[in-house]
Amino acid sequence: MPKDDQLWTYSASELATGFGRGDYTPIDVLESVIARMEDINPRINAVVTTDLDTARVAAKASAQRWRNGCPSGALDGVPMTVKDNVPVAGMRATWGSELFSTYVPSEDELCVARLRAAGAVIVGKTNCPELTVQGYTDNAIFGLTRNPFDLDLTPGGSSGGAVAAVAAGICPIAIATDGGGSIRRPASYTGLIGMKPSRGRVARADGFAAILHDCEVVGPIARTVADVRRVMEIIGRPHFRDPMSVLLADEAYEAGRPKPCRILYLPEFGSSPVDRQIADSVARAADLLSSLGHRVEAGAVPFDIDALGMAWTTISQTGLTWLLKRHFSAGSRVGTDIQAMYEAGSRLRAEQYYEALAMLAELKSTLAQLYEAYDMIMTPSAAAMPWPAGEAFPNIIDDQPVGPRGHAIFTGFVNMAGCAAINLPSVPNARGMPIGFQLVGPVGADKLLCDIGEQYESAFRPPRIWPLR
């Protein structure tokens, strides 16, 4: 039987096995992760709101179900966190903005309600940048979140709090959102598995307003693919309140051995720079996938990155402007970066927004043709290594100047097309800082990505490094 103070190191799958054998209880696990959080969180600022009384009640009820031999599911009693832009009943949900600093929802967002019904124990909310539109994690309410592998560096964003919590051992699973790479890039900076489900795979209701068209999805972050799979089995189902979700057939997530796949490997996007440490690490991951029997072919990006970047800017600025105009005093209550985006969005014309949507439609058509020849696409998850925690983005990548989205060049197209994607760890750099890559499948390829990810994970077998031990 493990020491109670080490239970925070266990994956969700390991915890469920132990619950079933009676080695320990959900109460033991919760107290272990609370102790870890109290020790570590002051240094990384990952979890910004907690409701430990409710969590203890949930853990006690879960322990009773396990004693009775009738757990509610594979995640019954497993502690997890939820990103601060996903409402949890009775817990403050700020979206990282003073606009919502006092908002306490009375209902769970649908995915949280499903997890709670399955017995998951919600420990707290994780930090995010204001309105989740930036690639690092800081805001005026809660301040800066730091990367547990190097406290001087960012864990990325907008799910920086979520990945920092999982990587540091505060919880085995975090629920987050991905609107343009906000799960995959931070997961790559912290050595984690990050799933960006297909558009419509995770039904949504009772959440904040959508400001990124239909590009943002809810997905899990975990230390193992098996844990990601367990979450998707619960939240990855249609619901009548989200018509988009009904368009995707219900999918089983049981593990399966994948067939050899045809993988288009895109090590770079045109002339956009990639950190050499990342390029070398991801190339080694491509070799490993080849050794597993997959056909990995290097190629060139098949769409116009600059045009898509313009489309993304138009969509995000327009959505942000629409949201802020619903709050008459918004200008004095948002940060300067958000105010600048609002002002830029206010100058956009309707035809520019329509042109952006036309670009998205063209991208979907291009990828539909590509997926006739390939099963998936492989790219780095991020173009830059983590940068100083208080800076919004790196200005230089591989000795070349870049703009605000230079580090994020690889991920946005996935959201614009609605594809499924997963971040997987590759070989860390010489300092031990994590690096990751993404596999991108067509809409509906969520289970295949989990299967490939688990196969890769089994062959790669990265050691679990606990930062701040």
Side-chain angles (χ1 to χ4, degrees):
M1 181 172 176
K3 294 170 57 179
D4 286 354
D5 63 356
Q6 297 298 304
L7 291 173
W8 59 265
T9 67
Y10 281 42
S11 70
S13 303
E14 291 168 336
L15 290 176
T17 299
F19 293 154
R21 291 195 304 240
D23 292 344
Y24 40 79
T25 72
I27 301 170
D28 299 326
V29 172
L30 178 62
E31 295 304 325
S32 180
V33 300
I34 289 174
R36 176 65 174 174
M37 179 170 62
E38 290 174 346
D39 179 33
I40 296 299
N41 198 56
R43 287 184 270 174
I44 60 175
N45 192 34
V47 179
V48 292
T49 302
T50 60
D51 182 358
L52 300 184
D53 289 340
T54 299
R56 287 184 169 109
V57 170
K60 184 177 180 180
S62 174
Q64 186 62 55
R65 289 191 293 273
W66 281 104
R67 280 194 295 270
N68 294 340
C70 55
S72 297
L75 293 178
D76 200 341
V78 173
M80 60 184 63
T81 58
V82 179
K83 189 175 174 180
D84 203 28
N85 67 329
V86 177
V88 175
M91 298 180 69
R92 186 162 65 145
T94 75
W95 203 351
S97 176
E98 292 182 358
L99 291 173
F100 303 98
S101 61
T102 61
Y103 174 54
V104 179
S106 59
E107 293 183 275
D108 293 327
E109 182 160 344
L110 178 59
C111 62
V112 176
R114 284 175 156 174
L115 288 164
R116 202 192 293 274
V121 177
I122 310 300
V123 175
K125 304 296 293 296
T126 55
N127 206 17
C128 62
E130 187 169 19
L131 302 176
T132 57
V133 292
Q134 291 178 294
Y136 79 129
T137 300
D138 190 12
N139 60 63
I141 303 175
F142 302 116
L144 196 65
T145 296
R146 298 180 181 276
N147 192 315
F149 287 91
D150 186 331
L151 297 179
D152 291 331
L153 304 179
T154 182
S158 61
S159 303
V163 297
V166 176
I170 292 174
C171 57
I173 291 171
I175 301 303
T177 59
D178 190 316
S182 289
I183 284 176
R184 287 158 287 150
R185 291 195 313 276
S188 77
Y189 294 147
T190 47
L192 301 173
I193 313 299
M195 183 79 188
K196 185 268 171 200
S198 298
R199 177 181 294 140
R201 175 63 70 198
V202 178
R204 304 197 67 177
D206 299 318
F208 280 112
I211 62 171
L212 297 175
H213 188 47
D214 57 4
C215 296
E216 183 190 86
V217 297
V218 168
I221 294 165
R223 301 173 199 136
T224 69
V225 178
D227 282 6
V228 163
R229 196 189 297 273
R230 286 182 180 231
V231 176
M232 291 302 297
E233 286 173 345
I234 295 169
I235 68 174
R237 295 180 286 115
H239 193 280
F240 73 94
R241 293 188 61 197
D242 183 352
M244 191 178 299
S245 74
V246 179
L247 298 176
L248 281 180
D250 208 358
E251 181 175 35
Y253 280 86
E254 292 84 2
R257 183 172 180 81
K259 65 178 183 180
C261 289
R262 303 159 298 172
I263 301 174
L264 175 61
Y265 173 37
L266 304 176
E268 57 192 14
F269 274 12
S271 61
S272 298
V274 180
D275 188 289
R276 294 175 189 177
Q277 302 167 94
I278 294 174
D280 292 345
S281 176
V282 177
R284 292 172 67 178
D287 290 342
L288 179 53
L289 285 167
S290 292
S291 74
L292 294 173
H294 303 292
R295 192 182 79 197
V296 181
E297 300 178 1
V301 62
F303 39 80
D304 187 334
I305 291 300
D306 292 335
L308 288 180
M310 293 174 59
W312 182 251
T313 298
T314 298
I315 289 170
S316 59
Q317 290 180 348
T318 303
L320 183 70
T321 300
W322 168 82
L323 175 72
L324 295 186
K325 283 187 175 179
R326 299 176 69 188
H327 298 270
F328 299 113
S329 60
S332 61
R333 300 174 62 193
V334 298
T336 55
D337 290 343
I338 301 300
Q339 179 67 21
M341 291 181 66
Y342 167 79
E343 292 171 357
S346 298
R347 294 190 293 269
L348 292 170
R349 303 184 307 276
E351 59 264 32
Q352 290 174 281
Y353 188 80
Y354 193 87
E355 176 63 25
L357 297 183
M359 290 181 185
L360 266 61
E362 182 177 347
L363 171 66
K364 294 174 188 177
S365 176
T366 297
L367 290 178
Q369 296 178 52
L370 185 149
Y371 282 126
E372 291 182 0
Y374 297 96
D375 297 297
M376 61 188 64
I377 299 168
M378 177 182 184
T379 79
S381 289
M385 295 296 293
W387 57 94
E391 298 178 10
F393 58 90
N395 293 298
I396 302 290
I397 299 175
D398 194 31
D399 298 325
Q400 298 182 50
V402 296
R405 297 290 293 179
H407 67 286
I409 191 73
F410 292 110
T411 50
F413 85 93
V414 182
N415 300 75
M416 287 187 267
C419 296
I422 191 169
N423 174 79
L424 299 167
S426 54
V427 177
N429 75 358
R431 292 182 53 238
M433 288 300 296
I435 296 172
F437 67 96
Q438 67 172 351
L439 294 176
V440 183
V443 175
D446 309 63
K447 179 183 181 299
L448 175 62
L449 291 175
C450 287
D451 290 344
I452 298 290
E454 211 153 27
Q455 181 193 41
Y456 169 86
E457 181 182 57
S458 179
F460 181 48
R461 293 191 179 280
R464 171 50 58 192
I465 299 172
W466 293 107
L468 306 175
R469 194 71 187 255

